[in-house]
Amino acid sequence: MRRPRHAEPPPVFRPGGRQRLILDVDTGIDDSLALLYAAGRPDVDLVAVTTCAGNVGVDQVVHNTLGVLELAGAPHVEVARGAAGPIARRLETTPETHGPTGTGHAVLEPSGTVSDRTAIEVLVDEARRTPGEITLVTAGPLTNLAAAVLAEPDLPLLLRDVFVMGGTFSQAGNVHPRVEWNIHVDPEAARTVLHQWSAAGKRGAVPITMMGLDVTETSVIRAEDLLAVAHAAGLPAAAGTDVEVMTTALGSPVLDFVRDSLRFYFEFHELHDGFYGAHVHDPFVVGAAVDPTLIASLSTVVDVELGGQWTTGETIADWRGHFDKPVNAYVATTGDGPEFIRRLRSVLADLVREGTS
Ligand code: BDR
Ligand code: CA
């Protein structure tokens, strides 16, 4: 019988200085909030955003990403088109969760254009240009990262850190009993990434931090949070029922977008999860990338199931060393979702003030 392998927490985080981030997204309602959070943090230098098909098709993801960055006052941030579909499977999208365009009831009309560079070029070029500086946060399927690490096997050594919203380790999946959406869409990509990080682990690569549903579902946003944002930003928002709060326009383009997009997510969660609110997975992962003290995590080896009837896409953490492979991940075991929501409220209030002054 195998004994538990010696799992370790990551080195202690020492805050300070601006952080250089690239976000890889499939925008998506919670991806939109992740973009707003990253763009709105004064200590984050958002180097670029790469896009991937997932919640919606990649052209729609580009459209949504450009629109959200414009709302955030960050139209200068490069947006690169990435994979139009998974490595080995037909693309599955999720209009029932994020609406037909990916932003729920909100409509975006961006004026910007997509970069000449592809997502893979951005990931590889930027990592090579500034080795050890960039933290990558993935909020969608891992198709782009898989292609990038195959194109540049040193990518795990060139990036400062990678934070992945993906998987579930001790809690029910949101697609199948053990399977989370981002890994479900492209399990071959997830496996490729994890295998490449194991291979690079021998050469000193920093393990990927994986935040699964067990942790991201602790960050729940509700109508009262949007009301609090409005009040903090000095908007005359009247209290009312949750539905009234979520249907009353406030004249702030950014907050009205957040309200209209989240309303769809709230309706989805009310139907499937029994509460009028939403888990905001992707922004929490950006929050933890910026300040890892929001989570606790332990090192291990993670692999992805590819051959199960119900388990294809399951993320398996090997706490006992059965796989006999170098460590490739820090798996987040707990997270302070409520504290992250407080920070998200504060960043949104700043964005509203900037957009209305
Ligand atoms: C993930 O699935 C997507 O629908 C969300 O945007 C998030 O990235 C949660 O499982
Ligand atoms: Ca997403």
Side-chain angles (χ1 to χ4, degrees):
M1 265 197 359
R2 296 256 176 190
R3 289 173 183 281
R5 78 158 63 231
H6 186 59
E8 288 179 358
V12 175
F13 170 69
R14 308 221 180 277
R18 280 173 75 77
Q19 293 200 47
R20 310 193 70 229
L21 247 58
I22 295 181
L23 260 60
D24 187 73
V25 290
D26 63 334
T27 322
I29 295 170
D30 59 331
D31 303 74
S32 300
L33 280 172
L35 290 164
L36 292 174
Y37 188 76
R41 289 263 323 199
D43 54 351
V44 166
D45 179 7
L46 189 53
V47 175
V49 179
T50 53
T51 60
C52 179
N55 289 322
V56 286
V58 71
D59 288 339
Q60 186 70 53
V61 172
V62 168
H63 175 99
N64 296 349
T65 304
L66 289 167
V68 173
L69 288 172
E70 287 173 18
L71 278 177
H76 53 276
V77 173
E78 179 177 6
V79 176
R81 180 183 276 101
I87 291 178
R89 290 165 198 264
R90 211 169 45 83
L91 174 65
E92 205 179 309
T93 58
T94 182
E96 69 284 4
T97 315
H98 295 267
T101 65
T103 54
H105 297 295
V107 177
L108 290 166
E109 285 167 3
S111 55
T113 49
V114 73
S115 171
D116 291 337
R117 297 197 289 178
T118 65
I120 316 305
E121 285 166 348
V122 166
L123 291 172
V124 172
D125 293 354
E126 293 304 319
R128 282 180 182 156
R129 201 167 62 80
T130 54
E133 285 190 17
I134 289 174
T135 296
L136 171 67
V137 178
T138 69
L142 289 166
T143 323
N144 288 336
L145 184 54
V149 73
L150 290 176
E152 172 51 279
D154 279 348
L155 198 62
L157 301 160
L158 293 169
L159 291 168
R160 176 181 159 180
D161 236 330
V162 178
F163 278 67
V164 165
M165 192 289 121
T168 189
F169 295 89
S170 59
Q171 198 153 302
N174 57 3
V175 181
H176 296 307
R178 300 289 314 138
V179 182
E180 181 276 333
W181 170 260
N182 286 338
I183 307 297
H184 164 79
V185 172
D186 197 346
E188 282 78 11
R191 175 177 260 211
T192 301
V193 166
L194 287 160
H195 284 200
Q196 290 294 117
W197 248 261
S198 255
K202 293 180 207 136
R203 296 184 285 138
V206 175
I208 289 172
T209 299
M210 293 195 75
M211 285 177 66
L213 297 176
D214 352 45
V215 172
T216 61
E217 287 192 350
T218 67
S219 67
V220 179
I221 196 164
R222 297 174 191 272
E224 69 200 47
D225 295 304
L226 298 201
L227 198 60
V229 170
H231 289 156
L235 296 177
T241 64
D242 285 358
V243 172
E244 280 163 357
V245 169
M246 295 304 290
T247 47
T248 307
L250 291 167
S252 154
V254 67
L255 194 53
D256 286 345
F257 166 79
V258 169
R259 192 208 55 231
D260 285 343
S261 56
L262 274 179
R263 192 167 70 253
F264 193 95
Y265 223 18
F266 284 15
E267 289 158 359
F268 172 85
H269 282 77
E270 188 174 38
L271 195 63
H272 296 281
D273 300 297
F275 69 96
Y276 191 70
H279 298 128
V280 282
H281 312 275
D282 298 339
F284 190 15
V285 180
V286 176
V290 173
D291 178 4
T293 63
L294 283 170
I295 58 170
S297 56
L298 287 171
S299 61
T300 186
V301 182
V302 176
D303 207 340
V304 176
E305 177 61 71
L306 292 182
Q309 181 187 357
W310 292 108
T311 54
T312 296
E314 178 174 0
T315 40
I316 300 159
D318 176 26
W319 298 112
R320 279 187 184 255
H322 295 277
F323 296 160
D324 206 17
K325 275 186 163 182
V327 161
N328 58 8
Y330 289 117
V331 170
T333 50
T334 57
D336 192 347
E339 171 56 23
F340 173 67
I341 294 293
R342 280 189 281 280
R343 296 183 189 188
L344 178 62
R345 274 163 48 161
S346 157
V347 167
L348 289 175
D350 288 345
L351 286 172
V352 174
R353 267 187 234 105
E354 284 158 22
T356 48
S357 55

